[in-house]
Amino acid sequence: MGISGFKPSFLVGIEAVRQAHGARLATLVGRRLTGFALVRFVEDGDWFADCPVVMDFDGLQLEVCHSKLDELSIGWNTIDTAATITGWEWFELTPQWSHSDERLEPFVGQELREVALLEWRPVDHDLAAGTVAVEFAFPEGCLRIINGLDENRIEIGAAQPDYVRHRLGR
């Protein structure tokens, strides 16, 4: 993807994600969301949802990226969002880091109250069953980074009832 420092390590399933990142995700509780970065195209401003969502919690950088139908990569302090994204000369659009998003902006400055992994378990089995999302609860509401079936998707508000919540931390 040409993103400086991005070396995804994709995991599949709730147990693999919890074992690899659960304890460290729990340490985010009590920290403030101080910033975020998404990749957008210069020409039209559209979010390129295949790239990681980067969130800064008082200097601890979390990098979340979904891929395929069931893979999740979580990284810590590896991506340089100040660096130019390279290797896209062949493409008609130019990706660049953006610190603007109407879904994320309201949460900047808020203290994280709870973090959870959400496992999609619908009553009627579907293609997304077993995918893992990361949920962040703030005083003013919740936001989730979920698998949008081969890309990231951001959701705000209450989670759908087909998610099984696995709380981490407080």
Side-chain angles (χ1 to χ4, degrees), residues 128-139:
T131 60
V132 179
V134 185
E135 181 179 64
F136 306 91
F138 295 95

Side-chain angles (χ1 to χ4, degrees), residues 13-15 18 116-122 128-134 160-166:
I14 189 71
E15 289 309 318
R18 183 176 19 206
L117 296 174
L118 304 182
E119 180 182 18
W120 183 250
R121 287 289 171 209
T131 60
V132 179
V134 185
Q160 295 182 33
D162 287 329
Y163 277 114
V164 175
R165 176 173 276 105
H166 302 267

Side-chain angles (χ1 to χ4, degrees), residues 3 12 22 26 70 78-79 91 128:
I3 295 173
V12 176
D70 57 358
T78 62
I79 295 174
F91 197 65

Side-chain angles (χ1 to χ4, degrees), residues 79-94:
I79 295 174
D80 181 0
T81 61
T84 301
I85 298 171
T86 60
W88 285 70
E89 296 74 20
W90 59 272
F91 197 65
E92 65 270 8
L93 299 174
T94 310

